[in-house]
Amino acid sequence: MKFQRFAAMLAVLALIAAACGGTADDTTPPDDSSVTTTAAPVDAGQTDGESTLDVVKNRGTLRCGVSGSAVAFSETQPDGSVTGFDADFCRALAAAVLGDANAIEFRALTAQERFDALSSGEIDVLMRNTTWTQSRDTEVGMDFAPTTYYDGQQLMGRSEQFSASSTLADVDGAILCTNAGTTTEKNITEGAQVAGATIQLETVETFPEAMEKFKAGTCDLVTTDGSGLVGNKATAVRDGEITEDEWVIFPTAPISKEPLGPVYRQNDSTWADVVNWTVYATIIADEKGITQANVEEMMEVDPEAARLFGGEGELQTAMGLDAEAFLNVIKQVGSYTDIYNRNLNPVGLFREGSFNAPFNQGGLIYAPPAR
Amino acid sequence: MSDDTFVVHTEEAELPPEPPPHGPMVWARTNLFSSVTNTILSVVFGGITLLFFWNMVGFIIGEDRRWDAVTANMRLLMVQAYPQEQSVRIWLSLAIILVLAMATLAVWGAGTRLSRYAVGTTLMTAGAFLSFLSLIATLHLVLDSRTAVWGLGGLVVGLVLAGVGYQMRQGEESKVPQIPSLMVTAVALAVPIAAFWVIQVPTPILGGGQELAPVALSTKLPLTILYLIAVVSYLVADRTIGEQERFRGPLVALWVLSFPVIVMVILRDPIIPYDLVTSTYLPIGAAFAIVGAVVMWFVADPTKKEAGLGVGALIFVLFLLSWAISVVMVVRILLLMGALFALSAPTFAGEQRARLRYAGVWFVSVVLVTYFVVLVVAESSIRSESGSFLGGLMLTFPLAIAGMALSFPLGVLLALGRTSTMPIFRLLSTAYIEVVRGVPLITWLLVAFVLLPFFLPPGVGIQGVVRAIFAVAFFSAAYLAENIRGGLQSIGKGQYEAAKALGMTTVQMTVFITLPQALRAVIPALVGQVIALFKDTSLVTIVGLFDFLHIARAVIPNQSQPFNFIGVLREPLLFAALVYWIITFSMSRASLRLERKLGLGER
């Protein structure tokens, strides 16, 4: 009797386990034709010879990690689609690899989980305004594509207290608001220490909350990447909340360097080349004045453009792409300027005079030659 | 000498007792100003309340409020990226749920009757509150014609409501319960439905600014149709299957089936890979179903008690071996299921009928499991850029429902395990409860998302939403287990002894005597846990799922194009709070009704 009861109990427990096990198995990503052939390698740091390029081609869609809630970089629209500067580079990559800028799945990632999502193979590439740092490049096991946007942390205050020429030494005694969990917090603490200023730091969860506090006067200063500050100020001006010079952004030279660009798993050169040259293709197109509108005419005039955007295209086929891969990028998404202006001009960010101007106009955006 | 001698008969004694003095002044004097301390407290807290509402209403109707951020993003908040041209699938799902809910209400006879007095009281309170808010709003507004009409309109409607309520409370017969409560609910719900056709909502204009525009037809028409479906299906169900116990079983089965069908079939719309089905799943499923049925029929023979255990162990070894070779996952699932069925066969063994039934259950289970695996393997035709077809409130609800459905049986088992006399179960349950409960839910979510991919065998991936469901369910089960254990401990020793005296086995005692009483006793705690779980789902934002709150809090304030909502945070947050409150308040009301129905607190 005892034994029977025990067996029955065991069976019930095992049934529960089965229910759980069954469901867990059932949750293999739905786009795989068979459950045993899930494409995602568990740790692509040690890929068994298969490049992410092949994985993406077999799957037919690119999985791109974005933020989903970063003004002008990756915004979720009222209809659920994702737009923005980062999102457009995702589309450019999808156009290069798959020939279709819409063959894409965006994965919204938080700052905490982004690198794990990449190293576990859940996403193919990370374009989530991620700063290129030494530790991320080395110990975290990431590789970085060329920087697509040079940002830098700045501060914003009211013009009664600060001016555009203020420095970190002037913020002594001020209450400063920022969002927690990013390098922003660390940068300002270190910077103020070096400048010999004491600040009172108030951290909140998201940047809009920091702005709320700044507007309410709870804090004298807010700090985040310059692009974010410019965007928030432009909005406040447009909504008539403030006049153009009520808020000032300083110091002129940002207190930190924030080179933002695509990130992929390390030790996957085939995939790295594809991502890098997709970015370079948009930059080269920009240098030559090629845009979405005139790319086909320019190909006939310019030999480098002819090499990069088609013609014989053996440079692309050698990379494992179609000969017309980069033509698709320009035609479906656009050149660097197209992408930049479309997404960043509306929030008050312009290329002229910034680090993101072309290298021959004093900026840092530069690409090696295509030949 | 009789007692009458000492009783003085007077005229007054014959009269009915004087009704206690009533009226607003009396009420205020006895309740608010009965002493100096009370007067001070009333004035202070009344002032604070007034100030709160004054500022609150002022905030809501403020000139520069961006309520258009909420209305423009309503679809995002509700269903995130679900394609609009497919939204009929969502309405269909809601219709199915509503019809089931109405049938349930009818079959269980859930409606009670309310007295005119009670309804009148509610109307009076609501009307007075509406007038109060409208008055504040009117005072706030610069009296331009448009807004003043709305403010004064609210005031008048509120006063009329209060007056109607007052009239309903008159007379002695008003205290007799005679109005069906469901009719009251239906009428109350008709008000917002009708309002959708009348009101205008702030809508953003391309290029800046906002205007008042009617609610989109694609919102108000389906909602109205759903409302009518609900009313009609209740009336039909009440007349046809109303309060018949034999429909309860099938209804529960329909509810259980409805969740996978709605999520996996209707919302996900799988493209069934027919060639794969005919080449792989159909043969595998058929083989398992037929061969397995014969085996189950064989082992469910009470004279071959040990056979089931032996066969079960053998199949389990096969299951373990299957991981060494490359085989379709469904084979492994079915092998595991077969092992469990064979192992539990002695429990269900019986004469010919029982054996046939056991084989039949196996057959149906195989068909269902294989079908479900096919559904999962099939690609979804819903193309959404966000990679998941669930999002917004449509993520919050499935998360909460699936989390609850999984955690409840697990919680019951854990509670039984922890109160068990067998040390191994007690130890395992206690360890589970203490470990899971000792770590914050956020941590479990991060474990499920960040660590799990490294623990799973290569080639097995689990979708984000499912990981979140499991994290939430396993976490909630630990709390439920403790609640239920509390209930189990509240049962008197006499109940156990009586059950034993009747010769009941432990299982019978648990299923028929102790568990029902324990669950009934802890309904308030269970509902508290459900509400907590519902709100806890908002934590999935930490792992990048776009739930309702995350959209309100992080997505909307970061939109710059085509409408500029950068930094618009307060309005979406207030809206989110309202929605959460409405949902949890309804849950709490429903549970109160359930408690009353079960006579909780009366025994």
Side-chain angles (χ1 to χ4, degrees), chain B residues 315-366:
Chain B
I315 304 179
F316 192 72
V317 171
L318 280 178
F319 163 74
L320 291 181
L321 285 178
S322 72
W323 286 94
I325 53 167
S326 168
V327 62
V328 192
M329 189 62 82
V330 69
V331 172
R332 295 178 188 146
I333 297 172
L334 291 176
L335 277 176
L336 182 64
M337 208 171 84
L340 298 170
F341 262 79
L343 280 177
S344 34
T347 319
F348 297 97
E351 82 297 11
Q352 198 61 17
R353 243 185 96 129
R355 291 170 72 184
L356 280 177
R357 193 165 55 201
Y358 199 59
V361 170
W362 161 263
F363 192 90
V364 174
S365 310
V366 170

Side-chain angles (χ1 to χ4, degrees), chain B residues 266-288:
Chain B
I266 300 183
L267 288 182
R268 189 162 172 270
D269 188 30
I271 309 168
I272 308 278
Y274 285 104
D275 50 335
L276 204 66
V277 169
T278 46
S279 70
T280 314
Y281 290 97
L282 203 60
I284 291 177
F288 267 93

Side-chain angles (χ1 to χ4, degrees), chain B residues 457-487:
Chain B
V460 177
I462 299 185
Q463 270 193 324
V465 175
V466 181
R467 284 190 223 172
I469 287 177
F470 276 91
V472 169
F474 286 151
F475 183 78
S476 172
Y479 280 87
L480 277 177
E482 285 299 90
N483 287 342
I484 296 168
R485 189 170 67 98

